[in-house]
Amino acid sequence: MQRTALDPEPAPEPDPPAGLPVLPELAAYLAAAADRTEPEPPGGSRPLRAAACDYWGRRGLETAPERVLAAPGAPALLLALLAAAGGDVLLPRPCAQWYAPAAGLLGRTVHRVPVPAESGGVPDAFALLEAVRRARLSGAGPRVLLVSVADDPSGTCPPPELVHEVCEAAAADGLWVVSDETGRDLLHDPHDTVVLSPAEMLPDDVVVLADLRATLVPASWPVALARFPDTGRGAALRAATLERLEALRTPVAGPVAAAVAHALTEPGPVRLRTAAAARVHGTLASALHRTLTEAGAVCRPPHAGSHLYADFDPLRPQLTDQGITGPAQLEGALAHWAARGGHRFGDDPRALRVRLSTEVLLGPDTGHRRRVLEAPDPLRLPHVTEALSALSATLAALVDTGSS
């Protein structure tokens, strides 16, 4: 158990990243709505929420506009949701960097529960039960478990049976489950990876959260959605969350809402772009995985999204010789590749773990990123091969110099 404070160390690269070039069709919709003067209501207009229902319906999660909320970004939506739910928060360790700050701003205690060996995104079920028991014995009151079916930082997808075990354990203890499904549309191999929403398993106890910047819309358009259970308890939580969003007075920008509502219908160009993005990130993540493991790091093969999480503890003797004894120093040594130390994700501050992103392989400007998107094999592009070669050389130098 720990009281969460804001991270005193500035992040070494922007979050969200620049991402892929803006889809022309979406840019046109945004431009067409640029003269809109009426504000978007807190929680999102009915057309935006109805489009979100269609989006979730195509993923097997039927819903109604009255059960949906929209906000300008997932952190703002999570802040309102946690404020409405009350109580302490349980998080997988490690987990996405933006989860804990909302609890910290509210003065809530965060209980971090280790993930199993298979994947990130959900805590070990037995460890979760023990964490809840210990917290309640100490007088704490955990109320919310936050999980992810497409994990940041590891890029892995927990198997459905593991998700089911965790959700059953959470429901047995009376917890709300918040399922972050931000990256579920960026599966590297949709035929090889099964993603099952906790809301399909326990529809009465799960709130689904999705930051659309990872998939459907550009990184610079902050918008996120929440889907609430079709129960009286779910309706009460939605109403309380909406009340917090109204107090924040930060609705989704009107022109952005119009473009996002169109993106949520997933017309052909949007579907093609999402598929292309998944392919590109999968190709680049696999290349990063090979580079890291060939250098001696331990790293789960990524399944989705743009991140992967490497453990350099097997190389600790060599790295220690160079003064690298923790994640902050390792982050510094790999700063050119926008590495983020595991301490930023709530991991053990002594562990030699970092997150890397495919973002650094996309290129420095729109032209490079468009070429990556359109290339039959992005790994043949000069700027990609040069970046991978430079990373390999840096990792070899860290190890070889330390062992000499």
Side-chain angles (χ1 to χ4, degrees):
M1 176 174 67
Q2 72 183 64
R3 179 75 64 182
T4 298
L6 296 179
D7 188 350
E9 299 181 52
E13 97 270 11
D15 193 7
L20 295 166
V22 177
L23 189 64
E25 179 170 340
L26 294 185
Y29 264 81
L30 183 68
D35 61 351
R36 172 179 165 175
T37 58
E38 69 274 16
E40 187 78 0
S45 61
R46 187 175 183 86
L48 177 59
R49 291 183 283 113
C53 293
D54 292 339
Y55 167 83
W56 270 313
R58 290 188 293 274
R59 286 151 182 82
L61 295 175
E62 298 298 328
T63 190
E66 294 73 22
R67 294 165 53 200
V68 175
L69 289 176
L77 190 48
L78 180 62
L79 177 66
L81 177 57
L82 294 183
D88 298 341
V89 181
L90 294 140
L91 298 179
R93 189 182 71 220
C95 67
Q97 190 177 3
W98 58 273
Y99 292 173
L105 288 170
L106 295 168
R108 306 282 172 77
T109 299
V110 166
H111 308 265
R112 297 195 183 265
V113 189
V115 300
E118 294 92 327
S119 73
V122 300
D124 177 85
F126 293 105
L128 173 66
L129 291 171
E130 180 63 13
V132 173
R133 186 186 72 83
R134 287 177 177 271
R136 288 176 175 165
L137 283 175
S138 68
R143 292 286 301 279
V144 177
L145 168 66
L146 187 54
V147 301
S148 176
V149 295
D151 178 48
D152 171 11
S154 70
T156 59
C157 298
E161 59 271 17
L162 190 59
V163 176
H164 191 264
E165 289 176 7
V166 169
C167 289
E168 281 196 329
D173 276 327
L175 303 174
W176 278 113
V177 176
V178 177
S179 175
D180 174 17
E181 303 188 5
T182 293
R184 67 172 295 169
D185 291 337
L186 290 182
L187 296 181
H188 300 163
D189 186 351
H191 303 293
D192 186 54
T193 305
V194 177
V195 172
L196 191 63
S197 171
E200 298 180 70
M201 304 175 184
L202 296 173
D204 294 346
D205 300 291
V206 177
V207 178
V208 177
L209 190 65
D211 189 335
L212 300 182
R213 290 176 295 181
T215 51
L216 289 186
V217 301
S220 59
W221 298 7
V223 62
L225 304 171
R227 174 191 182 272
F228 292 81
D230 188 15
T231 63
R233 182 170 171 251
L237 181 61
R238 181 192 182 275
T241 303
L242 177 58
E243 182 179 334
R244 272 65 175 186
L245 288 175
E246 291 171 340
L248 290 173
R249 295 182 178 272
T250 53
V252 177
V256 170
V260 169
H262 174 69
L264 285 167
T265 67
E266 297 182 285
V270 171
R271 291 197 308 273
L272 290 173
R273 168 56 66 87
T274 302
R279 175 184 60 82
V280 165
H281 287 304
T283 299
L284 299 181
S286 294
L288 278 176
H289 181 263
R290 285 193 300 272
T291 302
L292 291 164
T293 54
E294 286 171 0
V298 176
C299 184
R300 296 185 184 98
H303 302 141
S306 59
H307 300 132
L308 65 168
Y309 199 58
D311 187 351
F312 283 79
D313 216 67
L315 302 172
R316 182 176 291 275
Q318 298 95 314
L319 295 175
T320 299
D321 287 345
Q322 301 206 52
I324 299 174
T325 59
Q329 294 99 328
L330 185 56
E331 174 183 280
L334 299 175
H336 183 72
W337 291 274
R340 285 190 173 184
H343 60 298
R344 299 187 185 276
F345 309 101
D347 211 345
D348 184 343
R350 299 162 298 179
L352 288 170
R353 300 184 188 123
V354 292
R355 188 196 75 177
L356 292 181
S357 172
T358 58
E359 175 74 13
V360 297
L361 302 179
L362 293 177
D365 53 45
T366 300
H368 283 85
R369 291 162 186 256
R370 183 170 289 111
R371 286 196 289 276
V372 170
L373 189 62
E374 296 172 352
D377 183 1
L379 299 183
R380 293 183 177 273
L381 293 174
H383 75 274
V384 175
T385 58
E386 289 169 8
L388 288 169
S389 296
L391 174 59
S392 181
T394 296
L395 293 173
L398 287 175
V399 176
D400 295 342
T401 301
S403 60
S404 59

